Amino acid sequence: MGGNIVGYHVIVPCSSCLLSCNNGHFWMFHSQAVYDINRLDSTGVNVLLWGNLPEIEESTDEDVLNISAEECIR
């Protein structure tokens, strides 16, 4: 395996994890290896939150290719 290990993903959570407060994703990151940043929504004003993400429609490969580089790294 190459690169740096920044965390892990729980594939089959135990009952203790399922009963804990979580977002259902079970991605665990080492706090020494990563840091968080707030991202803004498309208006550039409001902080982007999982609970406020708009529903997406089925996209084609062509739609994905039209995303700007700026949007990908924002």
Side-chain angles (χ1 to χ4, degrees):
M1 177 190 299
N4 296 320
I5 297 174
V6 296
Y8 59 94
H9 181 222
V10 176
I11 304 223
V12 180
C14 65
S15 57
S16 177
C17 289
L18 290 173
L19 294 173
S20 298
C21 180
N22 63 71
N23 63 6
H25 292 277
F26 296 108
W27 286 96
M28 310 300 169
F29 296 98
H30 300 298
S31 59
Q32 311 91 315
V34 296
Y35 62 92
D36 64 328
I37 59 170
N38 287 332
R39 293 180 63 181
L40 301 178
D41 65 8
S42 59
T43 67
V45 176
N46 303 310
V47 174
L48 189 60
L49 301 172
W50 283 111
N52 296 339
L53 291 176
E55 293 293 322
I56 60 169
E57 297 176 14
E58 288 290 321
S59 65
T60 63
D61 290 338
E62 186 176 310
D63 292 337
V64 173
L65 296 175
N66 290 331
I67 296 173
S68 70
E70 180 182 325
E71 185 66 24
C72 288
I73 61 174
R74 198 160 62 106

